[in-house]
Every structure is written in C-alpha cells, then in structure tokens.
C-alpha cells in the first residue's frame, strides 16, 4: 500500500486514453465483466491521462542502491509525525480502544500505520487515482523486472476502482491519491478498500478520506484478516553466538517466520527473557545501515502481518517505532 504521497503531480499530463483503441476495448471488457454501463466505463477511462512521471516513480531503485535503516527511520519518525499522532490519538481515543478490543490490534500499531502512510491525513496524494491506475494498467514500464505481473495487478485495481466508484456513486475522476492509486488516510488500494474497509462510525457508508473512525476500523480489520495474534509482540531483541552462527540459513526465509525458538538457537541466534517462551515461528529481520553494521531483530507473526501492508521490514519497523514514540509522548 504505502507509496510516495509527497510526490507532486505536474500540470502537464500526457494524452487521454480515449485515443487508444486497445484501452477502449479493455473498457468494454471491464463493463461486461462487472455488469457496468459500457458508455460510463468508456467515458471514465477515456478521460484518464497517461502520466509519464507515474511510470518513472513505479520503477525500482537502481541496482546497488544501499539501504539504510537509520535514514529510512528518520523520514518517518520525527516531531511532526509524533505530535500529529498524539493529536490523532487524543481525538480518537475511544475509537482506537474499541478497535483494539474488537480485533486485538493494538492502538499504537493502528496509529503507526496512519502516521507513516499520510501523517494522519495531511498527505493523501495529489494524483487523480484513475490517471495513476490507467497509466500503470496500460503503460506499465516494460523495463521493470516484473512488468507483466504488475501490469495485470493494476488492471485489476482499475477494474476494482471503477466498480467501487459506480457502486458508491462517487465520481471516478474526482478522487486523488498516491502515484500507485492508493487512497485515503490509510492509503488503501481499491481491492483492499473492497475487501477490508468497514463502516466503523455507523453512518452506513465507508469514507477513508474523512472519517477517522472508518480509517481506524478498516486498518484494524485489515490486520485481523491477515491473522494478527492478539497479545503477541512484533519482535524481540536478538544477538548471535559466533561459534554456531549459520547466517545463510537464518536469512534464507527472508521475513517469513519459519524458525522455532529451538531451531533459531541451533543456528546461532541468541534470545533472552520472554523471547525464550515464544510459541510461534520467528524470522531473522535484517535492517541494513549503509556502511555501518546491520541491525537485527527476531520478527514474529505479527511483524510479518505488518509487512502484508507493505512488503518491507523497514516499513514495518517504522510503523512499530512511530506507534511506540506516539504512545510514549501520550504518557509524558
């Protein structure tokens, strides 16, 4: 989900997709599959524009770009986000408590997500969602290593977006979001909005742009759907026994929790305290620090659940640490 909301949309979009016969045929196919009015779908997609900057932003970083957790952390954990998080938590204290009670997802994780994604609604994106989705559906850069897979993904997201817009009577040309088409305070992609968004304020509609209650309930519901384990920590400290260390084996599963406490220890990972009583699988999470030595934690199934929001251990740690910083500031 998480994308670069801070990127600004330039004033000169490319040509309208109405000029492309293949796109208009795709519009007809969407209308038929979704039982939508053909002319309405053609009009919506036809009035979308190719955005060359979106095609640039979706490219992966150049090969060899060094990852740096400390730099990454500094982008998301600062006084601006912490102070905004405190205000958000204070304004929505009862709703956060209800979401935590109903789903088991802690308030600080929900607050961390919304803060990392959009600074609590301050940066929800400036791109027309339909332009972003159409660009990535029909003109996904061929040089991308997963171009075919990603193009198919965005075709589906465009279809979901049009169906959602029609069902909720929202103008598909009006909504703005990230360069990847993510929307609202929690930056849900259209398919996530359809699957996981909930009416948490009880007004019979779902509004992820203006209803903090719907946002809170929807983020909590998302993690519940991805098997959040109530009461389980997200990670534990970890050290290494150099005499037994098999770093290749520990790193092989990447962020997927795979190892029991015993098998973790057998490969040279050293846990202490509560971690030794952990019942579920663990993963060794590596956070590179540029030229400095990497940082490591033992990630649980709840750490993995956060990465279902954005497939990045750096993202998950930023969410966790921002939530903790806001919670600490609340108690000062």
């Amino acid at each position: 989900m998480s994308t670069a909301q801070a990127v600004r949309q330039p004033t000169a979009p490319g040509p309208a997709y109405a000029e492309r016969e293949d796109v208009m045929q795709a519009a007809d196919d969407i209308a038929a599959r979704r039982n939508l009015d053909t002319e309405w779908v053609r009009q919506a997609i036809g009035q979308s524009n190719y955005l060359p900057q979106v095609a640039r932003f979706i490219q992966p970083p150049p090969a060899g770009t060094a990852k740096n957790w400390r730099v990454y952390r500094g982008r998301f954990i600062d006084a601006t986000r912490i102070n905004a998080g405190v205000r958000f938590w204070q304004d929505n204290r009862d709703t956060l408590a209800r979401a935590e009670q109903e789903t088991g997802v802690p308030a600080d994780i929900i607050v961390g997500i919304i803060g990392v994604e959009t600074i609590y609604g301050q940066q929800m994106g400036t791109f027309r969602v339909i332009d972003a989705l159409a660009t990535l559906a029909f003109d996904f850069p061929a040089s991308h290593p997963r171009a075919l897979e990603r193009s198919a993904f965005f075709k589906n997201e465009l279809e979901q977006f049009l169906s959602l817009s029609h069902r909720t009577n929202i103008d598909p040309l009006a909504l703005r979001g990230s360069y990847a088409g993510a929307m609202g305070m929690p930056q849900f992609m259209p398919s996530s909005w359809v699957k996981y968004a909930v009416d948490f304020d009880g007004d019979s509609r779902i509004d992820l742009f203006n209803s903090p209650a719907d946002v809170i309930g929807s983020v909590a519901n998302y993690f519940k759907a991805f098997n959040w384990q109530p009461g389980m920590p997200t990670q534990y400290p970890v050290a290494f026994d150099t005499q037994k260390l098999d770093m290749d084996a520990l790193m092989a599963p990447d962020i997927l929790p795979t190892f029991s406490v015993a098998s973790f220890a057998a490969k040279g990972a050293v846990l202490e305290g509560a971690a030794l009583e952990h019942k579920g699988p663990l993963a060794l999470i590596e956070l590179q620090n540029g030229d400095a030595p990497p940082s490591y934690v033992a990630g649980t199934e709840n750490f993995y659940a956060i990465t279902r929001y954005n497939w990045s251990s750096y993202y998950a740690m930023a969410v966790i640490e921002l939530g903790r910083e806001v919670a600490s500031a609340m108690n000062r």
Side-chain angles (χ1 to χ4, degrees):
M1 288 186 190
S2 175
T3 47
Q5 294 86 12
V7 178
R8 294 185 179 179
Q9 179 161 348
T11 56
Y17 276 107
E19 301 173 17
R20 289 260 300 270
E21 185 176 340
D22 63 318
V23 173
M24 290 298 94
Q25 180 58 56
D28 293 345
D29 294 342
I30 290 172
R33 273 196 304 274
R34 293 280 172 167
N35 195 28
L36 299 173
D37 179 75
T38 301
E39 191 56 33
W40 182 85
V41 177
R42 277 182 161 250
Q43 284 285 331
I45 296 180
Q47 292 179 75
S48 66
N49 296 90
Y50 171 69
L51 299 180
Q53 68 277 25
V54 163
R56 289 199 307 273
F57 296 150
I58 206 69
Q59 291 277 25
T65 302
K67 294 181 178 180
N68 192 318
W69 161 237
R70 291 169 186 155
V71 172
Y72 186 95
R73 185 186 190 280
R75 288 170 49 198
F76 296 105
I77 300 168
D78 57 18
T80 297
R81 281 182 213 259
I82 293 169
N83 292 336
V86 169
R87 290 193 298 273
F88 183 85
W89 200 326
Q90 290 172 337
D91 291 344
N92 300 282
R93 189 187 300 269
D94 292 345
T95 305
L96 285 161
R98 178 163 69 96
E100 182 167 348
Q101 182 179 14
E102 293 182 7
T103 66
V105 180
D108 61 293
I109 296 296
I110 300 170
V111 168
I113 286 283
I114 303 167
V116 166
E117 289 292 343
T118 61
I119 318 182
Y120 309 98
Q122 293 181 35
Q123 295 180 356
M124 292 191 284
T126 58
F127 293 85
R128 281 204 317 179
V129 171
I130 198 163
D131 291 337
L133 294 177
T135 296
L136 297 173
F138 303 119
D139 288 295
F140 198 92
S143 58
H144 192 285
R146 297 165 57 213
L148 290 177
E149 177 187 345
R150 299 303 287 162
S151 176
F153 169 81
F154 284 106
K155 284 185 172 76
N156 178 66
E157 292 298 331
L158 176 61
E159 186 169 324
Q160 296 272 11
F161 175 69
L162 290 167
S163 185
L164 175 66
S165 299
H166 189 271
R167 187 171 65 253
T168 56
N169 200 30
I170 294 174
D171 180 1
L173 304 178
L175 296 183
R176 293 183 180 267
S178 77
Y179 69 79
M183 298 179 287
M185 277 192 254
Q187 292 290 276
F188 271 21
M189 293 298 290
S191 61
S192 291
W193 189 310
V194 170
K195 292 177 187 174
Y196 309 116
V198 295
D199 170 25
F200 210 59
D201 62 10
D203 68 352
S204 300
R205 59 191 293 267
I206 297 171
D207 184 355
L208 300 186
F209 288 91
N210 304 297
S211 170
D214 287 356
V215 172
I216 290 165
S218 297
V219 170
N221 188 55
Y222 185 96
F223 285 125
K224 182 180 179 182
F226 281 90
N227 301 313
W228 185 272
Q229 304 295 311
M232 178 185 289
T234 53
Q235 85 273 5
Y236 300 104
V238 63
F240 300 110
D241 179 346
T242 55
Q243 298 299 313
K244 296 194 294 184
L245 183 60
D246 186 347
M247 187 61 83
D248 288 344
L250 287 169
M251 294 297 298
D254 196 13
I255 57 178
L256 180 66
T258 304
F259 303 104
S260 67
V261 169
S263 62
F264 214 46
K267 292 173 176 58
V270 179
L271 301 172
E272 296 180 347
L276 295 172
E277 305 301 319
H278 185 77
K279 301 303 181 187
L282 297 168
L284 181 63
I285 306 299
E286 180 184 71
L287 301 167
Q288 297 175 21
N289 290 307
D291 293 333
S295 303
Y296 294 94
V297 297
T300 71
E301 290 166 289
N302 281 352
F303 188 97
Y304 186 73
I306 299 174
T307 68
R308 301 309 83 201
Y309 210 96
N310 182 309
W311 195 295
S312 163
S313 54
Y314 298 79
Y315 174 89
M317 282 300 298
V319 166
I320 292 163
E321 295 204 2
L322 177 60
R324 287 180 178 174
E325 291 289 340
V326 174
S328 177
M330 288 275 292
N331 294 324
R332 286 177 198 152

